Amino acid sequence: MTVRGNIVGIDSPEALERALRTAYYLADDGLATAAYLGLALGKPLLLEGAPGVGKTEAAKAIAAVLGRRLIRLQCYEGIDASAALYEWNYPRQMLAIRQAGEETIDIYGETFLIERPMLASLRAPDSTVLLIDEIDRADQEFEAFLLEFLSDFQISIPERGTVRAAERPVVVLTSNRTRDLHEALRRRCVYHWIDYPTAEREARIVMMRASSVAESTARAVVAAVGRLRREPLSKAPGIAEAVDWAEAATLLHARGARWPDAFKRSIGVALKEEEDLTFISGRLDALIAEAAA
Amino acid sequence: MSDELQLPHAARVFVSFVALLRVNGFAVAPEQTTAFLAAIGLLGPRSMEAIRQAGLATLAPPPERRATYDRLFDLHFLGSEAIDHAGAEDEEVVRLQEEGRGEDETLLADEVNESGLAAARAEALVERRFAPSTTGSALRKLSREAPARLPRRRGHRRMRARRGPWADLRRTLRESVRNDGEVLRLGRLKRRTRPRKVLLLIDVSGSMKGRTEDNMKLAHALSHAISHVEVFTFGTRLTRVTRALRLKRREQALSAAAHLVSDWDGGTRIGDALQAFLSVPRFGSYARGAAVVIVSDGLERGDPSALQDAVAKLSRRAWRLSWLTPLASGPGFQPQTEALIAIRRFVDDLVDGGSTAAIVSHVLSLGQRKAA
């Protein structure tokens, strides 16, 4: 297993953790270790966790730390090679055939090729980070198709031959775990399960992301969000919702609303399902009072 | 022998940890072992925590088995004195199994704990064994007809078609190249259809005792007839039995399921079980756009409002929600129990679930029905 030196200046998980912090991302030891190992061993990083724990944000922060462009491939059921790899520009090809007349032309030349995220990342591995987002949404055929790409970092275009990356690109995959991923895919990756952060860490995240928020507000919001996550809700609030809630409550408070009231009135940015709001409405006052205490 | 000599002494303890994981049912590929060793090399001699993290990242234990991983890790690396004295890793495994931490039990605990529902009220934990019996003609009918008759939905992929809304430019171009750029015929594409997901929730409580075995057989037949079937059982707990039912031989599959489910013939807390189902995001997403079939008599011991709330949620997610109850086997059925009356307005079908033939006939009719 070759260890590569493309992560200049980052020689340990701690160094990566510090660098991520400058990109406004607070990673715990586990994530920093997994991300560091992924980068150093040249393996894709697979991040799993509940929606809203910061998987996509982690990929963005890694791209920022490395100073690279993030290419995002959002997966969906039915995604296929032409959406992920490349597509031919058929109208242009057709036109070229017509215009060529008696001459011979190469209709599979570079000018007719439309790059999609995976091809773009193979062609510029040193300046991009490829994010394959929500791989669990794609169907299993697509997952199988990813296997070749993730182990050899090459793809074959029948009309042109094989495209191989000059060096291993940085790839981050995320999954909400709505279904089990294939073992073969997990095997090829460095893996990390992102949990909700501890209250302490989450309060720091809220303050870092929303600088106008006071520490006491951040702590109260994080405590309330933590309690909400223990309820059987159809969509538990993620980190982004906690940040939004803290900002919204601060804003209302600044415009004259009294404190617990401002907190309560802005719950709509944390819970976005009508059924969840109804479910929690009876206990909301107690929950907020307890969190703000 | 020679392999052992080639392996550096320092690496042995790590490789034997991988062996321990494998014996305990973790799938670890050789390339992951290599990555694990490389990771430890990279991180350097730091702390035990760094080794644990390196293992988590490269050996990738599934999150629901994280506790087992940690236990094995502690045993292997922190209880090192005992291991040194024992001299071989086989010893630990025997000890683990003797302590009842073998593969089967761990798997069972994972599947049950994942639902997040621990039974609080008095529950009877009974293990059931299914007697082998002949396959009914209804089940044969289900296996034969399900692929063609169960509901389908339009997928995102496109396929060649004689007529369709999109031009197949790839094929048209290929053919035109053969004809010096002349387009003689425009290929067409249409959307493919895919089988819709089917979610079966089977009541295994005491009041359903007479039907449970047949219902499980039906679930097994359906799991093998079409893809995308998810099966859960509920009584005082919620258990996912999809994986067990994937075993091809019915007796094997049913006995695997029987080991997994621990609340056969106990009480019923349908509302709590369904709430638990919905609150695990991974499970809740199985219901989205699915044909949801609940086989239960609806005799709820818990609070009917919890049941009503859960069924309403489920109904909003499902493509169609059917409630099959043995109580509806007679003609002119009117729901009598408080729970069934409460949920009636949320379910699309409230029909007979009193015999395998009745359930099969309803399931096979789903394809003809529209989303509510």
Side-chain angles (χ1 to χ4, degrees), chain B residues 76-316:
Chain B
H76 189 82
F77 289 104
L78 304 178
S80 52
E81 286 172 26
I83 293 161
D84 283 348
H85 289 306
E89 61 258 9
D90 285 352
E91 289 278 329
E92 303 161 32
V93 176
V94 173
R95 202 167 68 214
L96 270 181
Q97 283 164 346
E98 277 170 1
E99 285 170 17
R101 293 183 195 153
E103 183 181 359
D104 285 350
E105 185 171 314
T106 314
L107 277 174
L108 178 143
D110 293 340
E111 290 279 339
V112 175
N113 289 343
E114 211 178 350
S115 74
L117 178 72
R121 236 160 281 188
E123 51 174 357
L125 301 185
V126 182
E127 200 176 274
R128 169 178 279 224
R129 303 204 182 276
F130 290 105
S133 71
T134 53
T135 319
S137 63
L139 290 186
R140 281 199 295 275
K141 182 177 166 153
L142 180 71
S143 307
R144 205 172 48 237
E145 298 182 12
R149 289 183 57 186
L150 276 171
R152 297 180 76 81
R153 61 170 185 80
R154 282 196 306 170
H156 256 287
R157 293 214 171 163
R158 296 172 182 184
M159 60 185 280
R160 280 181 183 201
R162 202 176 286 274
R163 300 169 65 181
W166 297 283
D168 185 350
L169 290 174
R170 181 181 293 235
R171 184 157 55 112
T172 307
L173 182 90
R174 288 243 167 84
E175 281 174 9
S176 80
V177 169
R178 250 175 264 143
N179 301 312
D180 295 330
E182 281 308 318
V183 176
L184 300 179
R185 197 172 45 131
L186 195 59
R188 309 297 303 182
L189 292 171
K190 67 172 184 185
R191 271 173 138 188
R192 254 185 225 183
T193 63
R194 302 172 61 92
R196 196 171 275 284
K197 285 181 286 182
V198 178
L199 170 66
L200 262 183
L201 293 155
I202 300 176
D203 187 342
V204 295
S205 63
S207 57
M208 290 289 287
K209 195 171 178 179
R211 291 284 321 139
T212 302
E213 181 163 347
D214 285 346
N215 288 343
M216 293 302 288
K217 284 181 185 165
L218 187 141
H220 178 256
L222 189 64
S223 305
H224 288 268
I226 56 166
S227 57
H228 295 99
V229 180
E230 280 290 334
V231 188
F232 289 78
T233 65
F234 64 90
T236 50
R237 331 176 138 207
L238 175 80
T239 316
R240 179 175 179 238
V241 290
T242 312
R243 220 177 289 177
L245 292 181
R246 279 199 199 123
L247 292 172
K248 196 151 189 186
R249 283 187 48 211
R250 188 169 74 190
E251 277 69 36
Q252 264 182 357
L254 292 190
S255 101
H259 279 292
L260 227 48
V261 179
S262 53
D263 55 345
W264 301 110
D265 312 338
T268 328
R269 292 166 63 210
I270 312 176
D272 292 343
L274 295 183
Q275 290 282 13
F277 172 82
L278 289 165
S279 64
V280 178
R282 188 157 110 85
F283 293 171
S285 70
Y286 294 147
R288 226 172 264 284
V292 179
V293 177
I294 301 177
V295 185
S296 166
D297 51 15
L299 294 179
E300 171 72 318
R301 307 268 160 88
D303 178 10
S305 69
L307 174 66
Q308 187 177 343
D309 186 45
V311 173
K313 276 186 191 168
L314 205 51
S315 148
R316 282 196 288 272

Side-chain angles (χ1 to χ4, degrees), chain A residues 13-14 30 37 40 77 79 87 90 93 97-98 139 141 159 177 180 186-187 190-191 193 234 275, chain B residues 29 32 39 42-43 46 53 57 60 62-64 153 156-157 170 173-174 181 243 282 313 316-317:
Chain A
E14 290 76 18
L37 289 176
E77 202 171 341
I79 188 173
E87 185 61 296
Y90 301 110
Q93 283 177 318
I97 297 173
R98 291 294 174 88
D139 40 35
E141 299 147 47
E159 298 87 354
R177 206 150 188 265
D180 287 330
R186 294 163 60 92
R187 227 165 48 213
V190 171
Y191 178 83
W193 170 264
S234 46
E275 62 192 31
Chain B
Q32 286 176 290
L42 252 179
L43 295 174
R46 293 146 71 91
Q53 299 288 5
E64 67 271 14
R153 61 170 185 80
H156 256 287
R157 293 214 171 163
R170 181 181 293 235
L173 182 90
R174 288 243 167 84
R243 220 177 289 177
R282 188 157 110 85
K313 276 186 191 168
R316 282 196 288 272
R317 283 191 201 184

